[in-house]
Amino acid sequence: MIDEIVERLKKLEAAEAARHAISNYCLALDVGDLDLLRSTFTADVQVRGQYSGELSGIDNVLSYFAQAVSQPVAHRKHYTSNIVIDSVEDNVVSASCYFLSYHGETEGLHLAWGRYKYETRLLSTGGAICDLSILLDQPVAGLDAFRPQP
């Protein structure tokens, strides 16, 4: 009985580490904190996305995201919801969630949404994303694209 409880607690902690990792990823992008972003990923991270292409390794990933957040804007926010923990095996948590992001100036906001599919490797310090797929349902577009046309 105690062993079962300990095992369930480990899975709950692993799931929370995955939720925390994707939240830190979004926060790091929002505030442009490359140190936080570095701590969010493993050294051998793999990232795939429509705009990034396929990136391997922390240096390539950070170089890409450094360019993405280098433009000062009034607003940059990423929101996640419906986080689903697909599996917890050994020291890797597989998860997915929806995201909505916007960035730009008040009169020129751009939106994008889709899903993150990711794996978080459990470490002694928590969890770090080792694999991230950015699956866009709506590529980045200005708000005018969503206004009804006369």
Side-chain angles (χ1 to χ4, degrees), residues 26-27 29-31 73-80 99-104 109-112 116:
C26 291
L27 177 62
L29 292 178
D30 291 349
V31 299
V73 294
H75 306 284
R76 182 180 289 120
K77 297 289 184 257
H78 292 75
Y79 299 97
T80 59
F99 74 86
L100 168 70
S101 67
Y102 68 87
H103 67 277
L109 287 176
H110 291 80
L111 291 172
Y116 294 133

Side-chain angles (χ1 to χ4, degrees), residues 16-68:
E16 188 58 29
R19 289 183 190 96
H20 189 68
I22 202 70
S23 293
N24 275 346
Y25 162 76
C26 291
L27 177 62
L29 292 178
D30 291 349
V31 299
D33 186 337
L34 295 178
D35 290 331
L36 177 58
L37 193 60
R38 178 180 292 279
S39 72
T40 300
F41 293 123
T42 60
D44 62 346
V45 64
Q46 303 287 314
V47 173
R48 285 167 300 290
Q50 181 174 337
Y51 296 116
S52 66
E54 292 192 26
L55 302 171
S56 296
I58 189 68
D59 292 334
N60 292 327
V61 169
L62 285 179
S63 176
Y64 170 77
F65 284 116
Q67 287 182 330

